[in-house]
Amino acid sequence: MHTLDFAVMSVFAILMVIIGLVFTVQSSKSSKSFFEAGGQTPWWINGLSLFISYFSAATFVVWGSIAYRYGIVANAIQFTMCVSGLVTALFIAARWKRTGATTAAEYIGQRFGRGAKQYFSYMVLLYSLVSTAAVLYAVGKIVYVATPFSLEACITAIGITIVIYTTGGGLWGVLATDVVQFVILSAAVIIIIPLALADVGGLSTFFQKAPAHFFEPVNKEYSIGFMISFFVYQVVYIAGNWSYVQRYTSVSTTRNAKKVAYLFTALYLVAPFIWMLPPMIYRVINPQLQGTDAEGAYMMLCQKILPAGLVGLVLSGMIAATASKANTTINTAAIVFAQDIYKDVFFQHTSEKRKILVARLFTVLFGAGTIFLAILVPAAGGIVEVVLSTAAIAGGSLFGPVIYSLFSRRQTAGSLICVSIIALTVSLFFKVFGTKVLGIALSRTMETTLGVGLPLILLLLFELVGYFANTSVPYLNIAQQEATASGNREARRQNLFGVKVIAWSTAFVGSGIAVLGYLAQNGLIALVAGVAIMLVAGTVLIKQYLKAVKRAEFDPIV
């Protein structure tokens, strides 16, 4: 890498830290500001944040590796996410908002009691620690491929940067950095694709030289059965992951909660075909990558086709995408610990300032734990194994029962905990001891089917038991709080400030890309300038939105 690339990466890293720190004063005013960003954030910001947070390790390392090896199979897998997002929009997002809860943990506590709340809080924190470590490893792996630094050094440096801006800014800091990271990522990929196609000799040459079966949507490992099971898992994950539940609960209305999921769906309908094309092209350029080396295919392509400066931009975009997932999960973990463990279990009468301080301290500790575990990911079989196996084992058993309870009066605290423990135990047994004890090695399809199917079967059994026992727990136990005039004004003020930060940051990114276009060679000026112009246009639209909000006499959060 050239010195200019490191300079570009440093500038964008500093930008993320500044954005997070800008919101420090606002987020320190109250727990509602830190944990909910005022509780009435614009739906389009939450939708973009949900979308970019969902990329994480999967896009460039996990799915990029699968796209390199198997081609369009990676697109088929990600299409299940689009359909799952649609299911969430139609049936689930609004239900989360109707609960009136700030977090999934609060909902569980109010409806099923402290015991259920504590069980799921501890288990989700443990799951979040592992999943965030996988994400952090992916970010470090991308930087490691492109730089002379060790993998451990890359993971540590990026982890510390994420912790800094997440600790200061609260939920608004996460939302704002997510939107700016979406801008950087989109600009980076738009630049990569035409250059990659030119390097391989055009789209027709790419199709001709691609390996056999490269454009078949399923194969032996990722079969139709896997796709169906993974679709069910994705519904559970998109609708039930506690980090994403925040995106549905922190908007103003149930209608806006649905819009968040609809925007996610629309973006995922198009994006995977764009994101997965570069590693597929690189398979034609360099078909020699084996094993975990395929995890670096995306970055290897960038180093081959991009000049100095733009490599740093693309790397910043990839880091931004994967870091977005990490900051979202770390923020949610801090909220759960501060509100649902520290306050509810140990210090019920703690002050608002103390609760925010505890959340920030836990962010640092949780971040340190993820850095340590991320360094151990290669010893666990690599990122693909960690991400898919963790999802299959824990996703359905932790998130599925809670989502099911949004629709059922028959489930109790005992049934939810029982289903979760049984499903976790069975899945872990087959993963760790299945081959040694029973001589059974579950395929990817069987592992995923077990992880999402067993909890559903158990929940249905408890549903029948509840029906015959005439058990009934109300859907909603949380009283909706009327928003005060001062609360609305504060939420509006936070939104105006947040969107302004996003607008100015987008303008800065556009200007930076324009400068890189000026420095670029080989006819890249027009391409990069075009991307910069789109970013400037986006900034103008945001400015118009701000003007419309200021003129509005009613609540502007639409």
Side-chain angles (χ1 to χ4, degrees):
M1 282 179 60
H2 193 275
T3 303
L4 182 58
D5 294 310
F6 288 107
V8 170
M9 292 170 59
S10 299
V11 168
F12 283 113
I14 292 171
L15 175 62
M16 294 301 103
V17 172
I18 290 174
I19 292 173
L21 295 180
V22 160
F23 288 99
T24 300
V25 175
Q26 281 203 95
S27 64
S28 299
K29 291 182 178 180
S30 68
S31 60
K32 189 175 183 67
S33 296
F34 188 88
F35 300 142
E36 298 181 69
Q40 298 185 30
T41 51
W43 66 267
W44 57 273
I45 288 180
N46 281 30
L48 288 176
S49 175
L50 176 62
F51 173 70
I52 195 69
S53 297
Y54 210 72
F55 273 75
S56 69
T59 302
F60 301 111
V61 179
V62 178
W63 309 132
S65 173
I66 294 173
Y68 174 87
R69 288 183 290 177
Y70 304 123
I72 207 170
V73 166
N75 295 91
I77 295 174
Q78 291 182 82
F79 182 71
T80 65
M81 303 173 190
C82 170
V83 181
S84 301
L86 180 61
V87 172
T88 301
L90 290 172
F91 304 110
I92 304 173
R95 285 182 177 264
W96 276 118
K97 182 60 183 176
R98 288 193 196 106
T99 66
T102 303
T103 64
E106 182 183 349
Y107 160 74
I108 295 170
Q110 291 291 339
R111 186 173 173 192
F112 297 106
R114 176 175 291 185
K117 179 180 180 179
Q118 294 309 310
Y119 167 77
F120 281 102
S121 294
Y122 287 124
M123 295 304 295
V124 169
L125 282 179
L126 180 61
Y127 169 80
S128 299
L129 187 67
V130 176
S131 63
T132 307
V135 171
L136 190 55
Y137 166 80
V139 185
K141 182 63 178 281
I142 291 171
V143 178
Y144 165 71
V145 170
T147 67
F149 306 119
S150 68
L151 179 60
E152 293 78 8
C154 293
I155 290 172
T156 303
I158 296 170
I160 291 173
T161 302
I162 294 171
V163 167
I164 290 174
Y165 71 75
T166 305
T167 302
L171 181 56
W172 246 122
V174 171
L175 292 174
T177 51
D178 281 353
V179 174
V180 177
Q181 287 162 345
F182 169 79
V183 170
I184 297 172
L185 174 67
S186 300
V189 175
I190 289 172
I191 292 171
I192 293 173
I193 291 176
L195 296 176
L197 286 172
D199 188 84
V200 82
L203 195 59
S204 60
T205 304
F206 165 62
F207 283 122
Q208 292 171 5
K209 293 184 177 181
H213 312 295
F214 208 56
F215 300 104
E216 295 178 4
V218 295
N219 60 22
K220 185 176 181 180
E221 182 173 0
Y222 300 101
S223 63
I224 290 290
F226 171 83
M227 298 297 176
I228 295 173
S229 300
F230 200 66
F231 156 71
V232 177
Y233 163 74
Q234 289 300 324
V235 172
V236 171
Y237 195 68
I238 295 169
N241 185 295
W242 290 14
S243 301
Y244 305 144
V245 168
Q246 263 189 305
R247 302 302 181 264
Y248 312 130
T249 61
S250 62
V251 293
S252 59
T253 64
T254 56
R255 184 165 175 256
N256 286 341
K258 287 186 173 184
K259 287 182 178 180
V260 171
Y262 277 127
L263 179 57
F264 171 91
T265 302
L267 291 171
Y268 244 108
L269 180 62
V270 178
F273 293 96
I274 300 173
W275 307 141
M276 292 300 99
L277 193 55
M280 291 172 65
I281 293 173
Y282 193 65
R283 174 63 185 273
V284 174
I285 296 173
N286 177 15
Q288 305 302 320
L289 299 183
Q290 300 293 327
T292 58
D293 289 341
E295 295 174 357
Y298 227 114
M299 200 62 237
M300 293 177 190
L301 173 67
C302 296
Q303 290 179 296
K304 183 179 188 301
I305 64 175
L306 294 177
L310 291 182
V311 173
L313 172 67
V314 171
L315 194 54
S316 296
M318 293 181 180
I319 293 171
T322 46
S324 177
K325 165 66 176 177
N327 68 30
T328 296
T329 307
I330 290 173
N331 175 258
T332 301
I335 292 171
V336 170
F337 180 82
Q339 289 198 146
D340 305 311
I341 296 177
Y342 177 83
K343 179 179 182 296
D344 287 0
V345 178
F346 299 107
F347 302 97
Q348 297 182 14
H349 302 292
T350 189
S351 65
E352 291 280 287
K353 289 185 177 180
R354 175 62 63 87
K355 193 162 62 171
I356 295 172
L357 176 61
V358 168
R360 285 176 169 154
L361 290 174
F362 184 78
T363 299
V364 175
L365 294 175
F366 190 85
T370 59
I371 292 171
F372 173 75
L373 288 180
I375 295 173
L376 301 180
V377 165
I383 187 67
V384 175
E385 180 65 23
V386 171
V387 169
L388 293 183
S389 292
T390 302
I393 293 169
S397 59
L398 293 181
F399 305 133
V402 179
I403 294 176
Y404 191 94
S405 73
L406 294 172
F407 298 87
S408 172
R409 295 178 182 272
R410 306 295 182 186
Q411 300 299 323
T412 65
S415 68
L416 262 62
I417 294 174
C418 185
V419 167
S420 178
I421 291 175
I422 292 174
L424 271 173
T425 302
V426 172
S427 291
L428 277 172
F429 174 82
F430 276 99
K431 184 65 182 178
V432 179
F433 303 109
T435 304
K436 296 179 180 178
V437 177
L438 301 177
I440 299 174
L442 297 183
S443 67
R444 190 73 70 194
T445 298
M446 294 172 64
E447 185 179 70
T448 306
T449 301
L450 177 66
V452 298
L454 181 58
L456 180 59
I457 292 172
L458 293 173
L459 287 165
L460 291 175
L461 289 176
F462 275 109
E463 189 77 15
L464 289 174
V465 171
Y467 174 78
F468 289 111
N470 199 27
T471 302
S472 180
V473 179
Y475 285 111
L476 306 173
N477 260 356
I478 304 174
Q480 295 279 6
Q481 297 180 351
E482 293 294 330
T484 63
S486 60
N488 279 335
R489 284 195 298 270
E490 176 61 21
R492 183 182 294 111
R493 191 189 65 78
Q494 287 189 38
N495 290 349
L496 288 172
F497 180 77
V499 176
K500 283 181 180 178
V501 172
I502 291 172
W504 283 111
S505 299
T506 303
F508 177 82
V509 171
S511 301
I513 292 175
V515 172
L516 292 176
Y518 177 78
L519 297 175
Q521 300 174 356
N522 302 325
L524 288 178
I525 295 178
L527 176 61
V528 179
V531 173
I533 290 171
M534 286 192 292
L535 295 181
V536 172
T539 304
V540 172
L541 290 175
I542 293 175
K543 289 287 188 180
Q544 293 301 315
Y545 169 84
L546 288 171
K547 290 180 180 179
V549 167
K550 288 181 179 179
R551 289 195 302 265
E553 296 179 357
F554 51 86
D555 192 300
I557 317 305
V558 294

